[in-house]
Each structure stands twice: as structure tokens, then as C-alpha cells.
Amino acid sequence: TTHTRTVAALLGELSIMLNEGDLVTPALNSLISDELVIRIERSRSVTLTLEGQSRVYRTHLASPADILTSAGVSLTEKDRVFVDGTEATPESLSNWPVPANQITVQRALSLVIDDAGRLLHVETTSDTVGEALFEADITLYAADEVTPESHTPLTAGMTVHIQRARPVTIIADGMTLETRVTGPAVADALAEAGLSLIGLDYSVPDTDVEVRSGIRIRIIRVKEEVLIEESIQSYDVVYQADSGLEIDQTRLAQAGQNGVTQTSLRVRYENGIEISRTAEDTQVTQEPLNEVIAYGTNVVLRTVDTPDGPRQYWRRIRMYATSYHPAALGGDNITATGETLRKGIVGGDPGIMPYGTEVYVPGYGLGKMADTGALRRRLRIDLGYSDADWESWSRYVDVYLLAPVPPQITYILPSE
């Protein structure tokens, strides 16, 4: 029961407060009549988020489509709409099963993706750079660099730069590594792969070479060490005259000792394989000591019995004796000294038996050195004969060199 005249006055009299968006039927300025029914349809608070900005919008509408239309929000096909946290399709907005309390409209943003120089213009409703790249079906490799970083929120007009890593093969330490790198040079590629050159190590190609896709890089591990190598320097044998020794006698006056030479060698290894040895320094750590053999120069005269009686001799030499005669020489019977070849003429090495030396050979007799013997043996004597009295000789004999002693003597006899 009321004495008021309008709906608005009656609501005021009853202290019924109206909120924005409340719907009153009949209208507030309608006149009161008997048995009038006044209906109030209360509005609801709907949070509307648009382009990151949120505001509370009061409405009695329940459908998300009606609420957006009432709020003057129009949608494009690229926009995304979330109703109470659930993404809604354009068709479902009009038939949403429950009243909407929170509506978020995510507008599509335009951005440019610079993929290693290839420009791609896209519109996206993604939140971050990484999501936008995924939506654009752009594959990223672990070593690819993205600027701004993948977690960066998108802004309108943003340009995303992708620096592509290049596939490389690195062979090092017995392993082959297939990886991707972004650095421009071989040195950068090695650093990105966690490999370093230490000391004398080097790479093939060199560290300043530009990295190309598919390049093969080898690391050569270099090690050097210094070795000490010893070599033996043989001693010499020298002879020294000793007047205290009889001729053809010897004694060891000084024992020989080999010398020692040390050489410092720098040995270079590449990947464990020796490739070079370089001599850096050579030192004689022990000089060789010559062996000294003393030989006798004391000539002693002794006596030997010959068919012609005792004779003095000053040397006895063991020689290989052969015989020869003119017929064996093709009829040549003249010796090197002009003598006629006959028995009593012998040939030999004039450096051991000077021409004119008288000798005694047991079984042959006395002879005179008047011819040159065969050169194949120096300690050899050829016993001369005529064709009529030739005898064959082929054995070792003692040869006595008879007095007088010649002025020049070969004190050291050859071994043969």
C-alpha cells in the first residue's frame, strides 16, 4: 500500500537500491496503479578484459555474445575469447550454457619474424615470442639464437630475429661430434662446442676460417717432448814405435775406450703419432780414447842353418809360398828388376822385402828378391824356377830375411 505516484518513488519509499544494469519493469517513471506488479531483474558483475585492460561491467545479460555486443566489443576471426578461463569458439559464444562472469578478449597482434634474413609477417594471439614461433610452425634448434628471448611477452609491431645455427662436424680426441653453432669463425664453433686448443694444438681449417654449413673441423692435439739419445763414437787404433820391443812383437800400451755423444731430440706428436724428430743440441759427454799398440823396432840378428852353412837373419816371416817358371808366364823369363827367371829368384812385396834382399826358405834354399809377387796377398812369396827344374809350391813356410839389415824397414806387417 502506498501513496506514491511512480514506480521510482515507490522503490525509494521501500529503500530498494538499484545498481547499474538492473532492469526494472515497468519503467521507473510509470504511474502506480492498483494491483501493479513491479519486477526487478538484478544485473551481475562481469569482468571484461580487453587488450590487457580489465574493467567490471554490470549487466543482466548471461550470454557472452550478448555481453560483448552490449559492451560494444566486436571480434575478428584472429581474436581469441576466453569465458571463465575456457577458450570459446565463435559459435559457442551465443549458446554458452551458464552465465558468463569473466570474459577475456585477446586481440591478434601483427609482428615480423626475421628468420635468418627471411621475413615473415604474421598475426598471432600468442602471449610470448616462443608461442608465436610455435604457432607459425617455425622449428628452432638448440643452438639457434632468438631475439627477444622466447619468454618475452609479445607487443604490437614487434620484430623477432632468428639467428640460425649452422650444422658442423667436429672431430677431436677420437670422437666425432655433430652439432650446430652460431659463431662466424672456427674458433667460435669450437668455443660453443666446449672444445679448446691447448698449447701447440691447432685446427684444420684454421681458427679464423669462416664457418659454413656442413663444414668438418679437425682438432690436432700436439705434444712435444725432449729425448736424450746417446751414440757411441768408436775409438781409433794407433801404433807407436817401441825400441824396447823386438821387431814383430807388439804390446797393448793403452786400452781403447769408445766416446759417448748425447743429442737432445725434440719429438713432435700429433694426435699421438710421432711426426718429426729434430736435433736441438749435441754434446760430447765422453771423448774417445785411442787404443795404442806398441810395436817393436829392435832388430836382433840371429843365425839359421842353411844348405850353404849358417847365415845371419834379422827377420822371420810366415808367408804363403807358391812357385812359378817361364812357361807358366807364356815364356816370359825376365823379372821386374831385369833378372832372368830361374831358381834362386823370388818375387814378393818390395815394401816388405826390398829388392835385392837375400832370403832363405826351408825346402827351397837361398833366394834373392828380384821380382814382384802377386798382389792378392802381401805376405806371399813366389819361388822362381826355370822350366827345367820347376817344382810346385802351395803352402805356408817360414821365410828368413838374411843380413844385412836394409835401411828402410816396414815394421808393421799386414795381416795377409
Side-chain angles (χ1 to χ4, degrees), residues 33 41 74 105 122 127-128 148 177 236 271 361 387 393 398:
S33 61
E41 190 175 350
S74 59
V105 177
V122 298
D127 294 323
T128 64
L177 174 64
D236 293 329
N271 289 339
V361 178
D387 291 334
W393 282 72
D398 287 329

Side-chain angles (χ1 to χ4, degrees), residues 57 78 92 119 209 248 267 272 368 400:
Y57 180 73
K78 292 286 187 178
S92 65
L119 299 181
V209 172
D248 294 335
V267 185
K368 177 183 177 183
Y400 295 84

Side-chain angles (χ1 to χ4, degrees), residues 175-196:
M175 298 181 296
T176 299
L177 174 64
E178 304 285 348
T179 186
R180 286 178 171 268
V181 298
T182 57
V186 169
D188 304 309
L190 296 179
E192 291 179 41
L195 296 169
S196 58

Side-chain angles (χ1 to χ4, degrees), residues 133-155:
L133 295 177
F134 180 77
E135 183 182 333
D137 199 25
I138 293 177
T139 301
L140 295 178
Y141 296 95
D144 292 343
E145 292 185 357
V146 179
T147 307
E149 296 181 355
S150 296
H151 62 268
T152 304
L154 292 179
T155 58

